[in-house]
Amino acid sequence: MRKRHLEDFAYDPNWESPEIVYGEDLISKVTRTKEKYAVATMEIPWNLVRDKLIKKPEKVVFVPNMHKETVEELEKSLPQIDLVIGIGGGSSHDMAKYIALRKQCRLVQIPTIFSSDASVTSAIGIRKKGKVKYIGHVFIDQILIDFSLFKKAPKNLIRLGAGDVLSSHIALHDWKVATRSGLEKMNSSAYEKAKQFLSYLKENRYEIRDVTEKGIKTILELYLEYVRIAHRLGTDRAQEGSEHFFAYAVEYLTKRQIVHGQLLAVGIAVMAYLQDNAFKDTLGLMEDMGIDYRLQKIGLTKDALAEILFSLKKFVKEGGYYYSVINEKKIDSAVVENLFEILS
Ligand SMILES: [Zn+2]
């Protein structure tokens, strides 16, 4: 029997990987079904698939954003269904997860880009008063990787998916910082595993740059590995650290919707600097993967950068985020000057 999606966010030590299907034209296979289904998507990915559906959905939900109010209203507009399919990027997948949770129906995710790891993770990322909250714990039945769809996507929106893997480089360092301060305990086998995943990412950096099938598989498989670690540990400590908190703060302060992977690319660069953590190599690796980490990519001026960095400690304390380099590092205007110069 299918596992019940859970309301409360909880890691599950018995988490099982969704079935991953690689191939072409998978959308027609999944819609050759007797099930009543809905689709959560956006305009661009929907136009890529709409003519390939065998049976029509009961309803197509277009996801403008993941604000709590929007999400609740969209879900209420749906009839009872047996299946929900998330097609597109992060918001489509988060919305599909939310629908699966409320309707307790089967969930299939079809990423067409990798702006984040939302197509793989079980928690639903919603925005409450402009701040990111993770709710629920859903079971994804299948993830369909249709290479023909990825080939039509802007390459940049696939490469940036590596951000939710490279974030581990920063997160692991933050974990060490927290361990050193006596606040947390290190799980060395998880730590070592995550290190290996980072090496694997590095090995495949040109595959990611060129967005080959191998590059796409690398990103997806590493997402799965990190989800596996998180469920075993009961925390996503090995993958999420100060680079994510920086990203959340930028989103909160600028009130703009920016591709998650792009925010992370900048966050990773900023935090590798603050952590003094293989800074040059980390920038080099992003360059090799074809990822642009400059502040301008997320529209940050020097003043905006200063505003974010100076308020970051308060932001993470109020948000209840993990202990990290942000709690310990003194950030003054010299740091801002340096970062702005290097990352412009
Ligand atoms: Zn993320």
Side-chain angles (χ1 to χ4, degrees):
M1 212 190 100
R2 203 186 64 238
K3 286 191 176 181
R4 202 178 150 77
H5 307 302
L6 301 171
E7 191 74 32
D8 298 318
F9 177 53
Y11 290 103
D12 178 1
N14 300 314
W15 177 85
E16 281 165 26
S17 175
E19 184 194 356
I20 310 294
V21 184
Y22 293 107
E24 309 251 338
D25 202 24
L26 300 173
I27 190 83
S28 58
K29 282 178 197 137
V30 73
T31 55
R32 189 174 285 124
T33 175
K34 288 200 174 76
E35 290 170 297
K36 285 187 172 177
Y37 74 96
V39 171
T41 188
M42 284 184 174
E43 212 177 311
I44 297 172
W46 176 242
N47 285 333
L48 294 178
V49 302
R50 58 185 305 170
D51 297 331
K52 298 187 177 136
L53 311 178
I54 302 297
K55 191 178 106 171
K56 296 285 168 238
E58 301 298 308
K59 185 146 184 176
V60 180
V61 167
F62 293 96
V63 190
N65 58 60
M66 281 301 290
H67 295 305
K68 187 172 174 285
E69 298 74 20
T70 316
V71 168
E72 286 173 351
E73 215 183 294
L74 285 176
E75 190 274 330
K76 281 196 193 114
S77 73
L78 288 172
Q80 195 52 45
I81 43 169
D82 312 305
L83 162 70
V84 58
I85 309 176
I87 304 173
S91 301
S92 304
H93 301 303
D94 274 319
M95 186 67 215
K97 286 191 274 189
Y98 185 81
I99 294 168
L101 175 71
R102 288 280 171 264
K103 303 284 189 208
Q104 287 297 329
C105 65
R106 199 162 78 83
L107 170 61
V108 172
Q109 301 282 41
I110 308 183
T112 58
I113 54 169
F114 281 141
S115 50
S116 77
D117 60 359
S119 58
V120 178
T121 54
S122 61
I124 307 157
I126 63 164
R127 306 287 183 277
K128 218 172 165 178
K129 295 194 178 99
K131 287 191 180 171
V132 179
K133 287 264 177 288
Y134 288 103
I135 59 160
H137 173 49
V138 299
F139 294 92
I140 302 168
D141 229 36
Q142 290 183 315
I143 300 173
L144 310 184
I145 301 291
D146 191 326
F147 292 117
S148 61
L149 291 175
F150 275 94
K151 275 172 200 148
K152 289 178 188 148
K155 285 193 161 58
N156 201 35
L157 290 180
I158 297 163
R159 294 176 189 130
L160 285 173
D164 257 331
V165 177
L166 189 58
S167 60
S168 176
H169 172 67
I170 304 300
L172 292 177
H173 188 96
D174 285 330
W175 200 4
K176 269 209 231 159
V177 169
T179 307
R180 234 183 275 135
S181 74
L183 290 166
E184 281 180 53
K185 248 183 100 182
M186 174 61 72
N187 178 315
S188 41
S189 93
Y191 181 91
E192 289 309 324
K193 255 203 195 114
K195 280 277 179 201
Q196 285 168 17
F197 298 150
L198 286 170
S199 307
Y200 186 70
L201 179 78
K202 193 171 176 184
E203 264 171 50
N204 288 290
R205 59 198 187 276
Y206 299 121
E207 303 284 345
I208 291 168
R209 178 195 64 193
D210 299 339
V211 193
T212 61
E213 291 190 2
K214 170 91 176 165
I216 293 165
K217 278 187 175 177
T218 298
I219 293 175
L220 182 86
E221 281 162 12
L222 289 174
Y223 283 169
L224 278 168
E225 293 293 355
Y226 278 102
V227 174
R228 190 168 285 127
I229 289 188
H231 282 294
R232 278 208 201 118
L233 274 179
T235 153
D236 58 359
R237 245 307 181 189
Q239 189 195 8
E240 177 154 335
S242 49
E243 77 299 326
H244 269 82
F245 314 150
F246 176 86
Y248 298 150
V250 174
E251 246 191 38
Y252 180 67
L253 285 170
T254 65
K255 301 200 170 29
R256 279 186 294 123
Q257 254 185 310
I258 306 168
V259 175
H260 183 64
Q262 186 63 70
L263 283 170
L264 287 181
V266 179
I268 289 164
V270 169
M271 292 305 157
Y273 178 86
L274 294 181
Q275 292 176 332
D276 195 12
N277 178 14
F279 179 58
K280 283 217 170 94
D281 288 351
T282 305
L283 296 191
L285 176 55
M286 284 199 274
E287 282 161 22
D288 287 349
M289 290 193 289
I291 291 178
D292 193 338
Y293 48 75
R294 285 171 305 140
L295 295 161
Q296 288 82 350
K297 291 301 286 183
I298 57 170
L300 285 191
T301 60
K302 197 196 284 180
D303 286 347
L305 177 67
E307 191 194 347
I308 285 157
L309 289 180
F310 293 156
S311 62
L312 208 45
K313 201 176 282 182
K314 187 164 170 276
F315 181 83
V316 295
K317 280 187 181 163
E318 284 175 1
Y321 299 117
Y322 303 136
Y323 191 88
S324 72
V325 65
I326 297 166
N327 298 75
E328 297 195 346
K329 182 89 183 175
K330 194 180 172 308
I331 300 169
D332 54 22
S333 35
V335 169
V336 175
E337 284 290 337
N338 269 339
L339 270 172
F340 189 76
E341 205 180 300
I342 305 169
L343 301 182
S344 283

